[in-house]
Amino acid sequence: DVIGGAFFFVALALGCLLTFGLLVVAVGGNLFAPAVAVGGAHGADAATHGVAFVLNKPFRAGGYLLLTGLMVWVTAFVLMGAVEFAQAVTWKLVAAGEGVWSTRTGTSATDNISQFFFDCWSRGLRCLAFGVVANVFFAASVVSFVLLRESVDGTDRREMDPADRVSSIDGPS
């Protein structure tokens, strides 16, 4: 009990540290990657920028986050509908072709092959849709970062061009 009591404060301190970390990610997590990509920040500096922009303009940042969430939801909804439609059409075409290809004496090799290709097609469509949704999220986060930085720091959009910070492969001339 004495040893457990002595380490209780260590566990309490670690819990507080983890809670603070989760709070930082919840507050400005969607702005970390844009802070690195557009703002030229590094690691902790990106976290500082993301949280500072959100805390400086909380209603504006909240509005941008809501718009980002709405864009992601609408994109996911439309793409899942398109995926379901494509799967239904593909399934109908495969079902129509099975009567021509298979011998109808049970499960034939062609049925297994057509099911394999249908599964690959279905999973590929879902992965593609997920990639598009993730792309929309990160693109909206970059726009949010640029607008927040312009609002908070007064930095013009033309000053945030990442191409200005990229050094030449050959080095300085």
Side-chain angles (χ1 to χ4, degrees):
D1 287 337
V2 174
I3 295 172
F7 286 114
F8 175 71
F9 294 107
V10 172
L12 192 62
L14 287 175
C16 288
L17 185 64
L18 287 173
T19 303
F20 179 73
L22 288 174
L23 186 63
V24 165
V25 170
V27 169
N30 67 320
L31 300 177
F32 293 172
V36 172
V38 178
H42 300 282
D45 193 31
T48 303
H49 280 202
V51 172
F53 290 162
V54 170
L55 293 179
N56 203 335
K57 301 278 185 175
F59 295 115
R60 183 177 296 231
Y64 293 154
L65 186 61
L66 284 174
L67 287 175
T68 298
L70 181 66
M71 288 171 51
V72 166
W73 183 81
V74 167
T75 303
F77 183 76
V78 169
L79 285 177
M80 283 301 115
V83 166
E84 292 295 327
F85 177 74
Q87 286 177 337
V89 168
T90 304
W91 185 253
K92 293 292 185 190
L93 291 174
V94 168
E98 278 183 346
V100 176
W101 296 326
S102 68
T103 59
R104 292 290 176 200
T105 59
T107 305
S108 69
T110 54
D111 289 339
N112 290 337
I113 291 171
S114 64
Q115 184 63 41
F116 169 76
F117 283 126
F118 179 77
D119 289 344
C120 289
W121 170 249
S122 176
R123 288 187 179 109
L125 283 176
R126 290 191 183 280
C127 288
L128 183 65
F130 178 76
V132 171
V133 169
N135 186 27
V136 166
F137 171 75
F138 284 114
S141 294
V142 168
V143 170
S144 298
F145 176 81
V146 168
L147 292 174
L148 280 170
R149 183 162 182 193
E150 187 177 44
S151 174
V152 172
D153 289 348
T155 306
D156 191 44
R157 294 177 200 166
R158 290 180 293 272
E159 295 176 26
M160 291 185 256
D161 187 11
D164 295 340
R165 291 185 302 277
V166 176
S167 62
S168 171
I169 295 175
D170 299 330
S173 51

